[in-house]
Amino acid sequence: MRIRPVLAVTGAVFLFSYNGFTAHAAARPDSGGGTLPASGTTVALSEDGDMVLECNGVVHRFEVLGTGQVRVGDKVAGDQPTATVRTLAEQLTGYDAELGTVTVSEKTPADGDFVAPAVGREFPAAEALAQDLTVSMQHSPCGAGQPATFESKAAFPLLNTDLTAFPPQNAVYLMTNPVELTDVANPSGPSVTLTEFPLTITQAS
């Protein structure tokens, strides 16, 4: 599944929209972000985020740290040139006093999009970073506290609407809507809702 954002220009403001969510990014004549790497380039990422999970009205908030990997795909010319950015891998780890150790990984590769503001100018850009996650924990928040693994039903985006460089440099990506995570062992049982997942991403050194 490819997640396609829409970036429109109104005056000096970019309007970035995905699935009813609209964000604004100020237009700047020159952001100094360089150029998008060539198609086929794979980029290793360092990631630091906060994950907020809810089940049965109980909220769990914890930090996750780790790595990711994306690959720049096909580029499409136009008034607002775009490029596919495929999320190949995520490997994050966190800890919550009630959930125990939590691991987050990419279930399957998923395609997002990089959208440039204009021909000949790639920044400030908008990017939908596709996520299709598996979340495993030592103690399930739904039920008797046994080990459990939850997964997203479909890929979803984390958005940055004012990206000044790619590979990202301390860029913050945000969710647009809550995401339901189903229990892999019991899909008809209680699900977990991922309500927040701000993720700060930079190119790995």
Side-chain angles (χ1 to χ4, degrees):
M1 176 182 178
R2 181 175 177 179
I3 296 174
R4 289 181 174 272
V6 176
L7 181 62
V9 179
T10 303
V13 175
F14 298 127
L15 302 178
F16 183 81
S17 177
Y18 173 79
N19 197 26
F21 172 89
T22 302
H24 302 259
R28 296 189 297 276
D30 183 7
S31 69
T35 60
L36 190 68
S39 297
T41 301
T42 298
V43 179
L45 304 172
S46 176
E47 302 180 350
D48 180 352
D50 289 306
M51 184 165 273
V52 182
L53 300 177
E54 180 179 352
C55 183
N56 297 328
V58 179
V59 175
H60 302 269
R61 180 188 296 270
F62 50 92
E63 183 181 24
V64 290
L65 299 168
T67 61
Q69 188 179 65
V70 297
R71 183 171 61 223
V72 179
D74 294 336
K75 299 181 181 181
V76 180
D79 293 338
Q80 293 168 347
T82 67
T84 302
V85 179
R86 171 167 289 190
T87 302
L88 299 175
E90 298 280 6
Q91 194 61 54
L92 307 172
T93 303
Y95 179 82
D96 177 82
E98 296 183 5
L99 304 181
T101 299
V102 180
T103 60
V104 181
S105 59
E106 186 77 2
K107 181 174 61 175
T108 56
D111 289 344
D113 271 322
F114 172 98
V115 183
V119 176
R121 182 157 58 93
E122 293 187 332
F123 300 95
E127 185 190 1
L129 180 71
Q131 302 280 281
D132 193 7
L133 298 181
T134 297
V135 181
S136 298
M137 58 202 70
Q138 290 179 297
H139 309 291
S140 171
C142 307
Q146 298 299 313
T149 298
F150 295 83
E151 63 182 13
S152 50
K153 291 182 176 180
F156 62 93
L158 297 180
L159 302 184
N160 183 301
T161 62
D162 193 20
L163 193 65
T164 58
F166 192 97
Q169 300 296 326
N170 293 317
V172 179
Y173 292 75
L174 302 173
M175 291 178 60
T176 61
N177 294 295
V179 172
E180 182 182 3
L181 306 176
T182 57
D183 190 332
V184 172
N186 184 20
S188 61
S191 60
V192 171
T193 301
L194 177 61
T195 60
E196 297 178 46
F197 189 27
L199 192 63
T200 300
I201 298 177
T202 196
Q203 183 178 16
S205 57

